[in-house]
Amino acid sequence: MTATFILQELLSVANPEKASFLQRFFKTGEGQYAEGDLFLGLVVPLTRSIAKANKNTPLSEIELLIQSKYHEARLCALLILVEQFKKANELQRGVLYDFYLNHIDYINNWDLVDISCPYIVGNYLLDKDRSRLYELAESKHLWSQRIAVVSTIAFIRKGEFLDTFALAGKLLNHEHDLMHKAIGWMLREVGKKDRAALTDFLERNASLMPRTSLRYAIEHYPETDRKAFLSVKQIKNK
């Protein structure tokens, strides 16, 4: 189970036509958020199956894989880490958590973040100090900031919302729509657990939120409530 072997597996099922589509979808053009990224054209379930088949790959080889120029190779490395985290003891989880955060430069697109950070960063911090999330949020690095916010879905699933609200407040006026979407998504997840808690947050912050974040957050509200929150936003903008 080496990085070379796994990469060969990925290359053997590459789809150039799909790769061309993915490079447009994930904004790899000049000046875009994933400028220069290269795709093999694999669908996620296929990459996931290769990851599961190689879930015992040592970290030294995962490190080589996560540094690949190919997006799906980095995705596969992260999926292997997630698989290993599921079976790891507390000491091993700490090693995987540290490895993950030490390789953030390679976790450089929203899908790579979303498919991995809740299961490694979020789950690891469930019973621990969460100050590292606030450091990531303050880093001015887009993917670190998204990791900080999306990791909180692990807390939300346990009925804990304070960190989601706090991080959303810190990053509410972020300039990038990928953060607007992430914040709105996490707030919507809170609403699935506790509508009253989300409503309280929105009543205090709706007028300050980017429209995308607000629309995501209120997606499951009745139409009359959605219109009311959006009208508050509209009035504020006038």
Side-chain angles (χ1 to χ4, degrees), residues 192-224:
K192 291 178 182 178
K193 286 283 189 178
D194 190 332
R195 177 67 60 83
L198 176 56
T199 299
D200 179 66
F201 179 88
L202 293 175
E203 286 176 346
R204 291 181 283 110
N205 293 283
S207 65
L208 306 173
M209 294 172 65
R211 198 168 186 83
T212 298
S213 294
L214 182 56
R215 283 190 174 277
Y216 271 53
I218 63 177
E219 184 177 330
H220 296 303
Y221 277 72
E223 184 178 0
T224 53

Side-chain angles (χ1 to χ4, degrees), residues 176-206:
H176 206 292
D177 73 321
L178 286 174
M179 288 306 300
H180 301 169
K181 292 174 181 177
I183 290 167
W185 170 27
M186 290 303 104
L187 292 175
R188 184 177 66 213
E189 292 300 313
V190 170
K192 291 178 182 178
K193 286 283 189 178
D194 190 332
R195 177 67 60 83
L198 176 56
T199 299
D200 179 66
F201 179 88
L202 293 175
E203 286 176 346
R204 291 181 283 110
N205 293 283

Side-chain angles (χ1 to χ4, degrees), residues 121 124 127 174 184 224:
V121 178
Y124 184 71
D127 59 352
H174 198 282
T224 53

Side-chain angles (χ1 to χ4, degrees), residues 45-147:
L46 182 53
T47 305
R48 191 184 296 278
S49 69
I50 292 172
K52 286 185 176 180
N54 294 278
K55 61 185 178 182
N56 294 323
T57 301
L59 277 183
S60 59
E61 294 297 321
I62 296 174
E63 184 165 36
L64 296 175
L65 193 63
I66 204 172
Q67 295 173 8
S68 173
K69 64 181 179 180
Y70 294 115
H71 186 96
E72 289 91 343
R74 301 195 302 280
L75 175 61
C76 190
L78 292 167
L79 290 170
I80 293 171
L81 289 177
V82 170
E83 287 298 314
Q84 292 187 0
F85 194 91
K86 291 176 184 177
K87 303 294 185 180
N89 60 36
E90 187 63 17
L91 180 61
Q92 292 167 335
R93 286 186 168 198
V95 170
L96 294 170
Y97 167 83
D98 289 337
F99 178 93
Y100 186 91
L101 293 182
N102 287 335
H103 292 82
I104 279 180
D105 286 347
Y106 303 101
I107 309 170
N108 56 353
N109 213 317
W110 59 265
D111 64 317
L112 302 180
V113 169
D114 297 355
I115 210 165
S116 59
C117 73
Y119 308 102
I120 298 174
V121 178
N123 281 342
Y124 184 71
L125 295 179
L126 277 172
D127 59 352
K128 297 176 181 64
D129 176 78
R130 298 168 185 177
S131 58
R132 185 64 187 275
L133 295 183
Y134 294 85
E135 294 171 10
L136 293 172
E138 293 169 2
S139 69
K140 308 302 181 185
H141 178 250
L142 174 61
W143 307 120
S144 295
Q145 292 171 321
R146 189 168 172 110
I147 286 170

Side-chain angles (χ1 to χ4, degrees), residues 25-36:
F25 180 78
F26 283 103
K27 310 297 184 186
T28 64
E30 184 176 355
Q32 296 181 308
Y33 61 75
E35 180 177 351

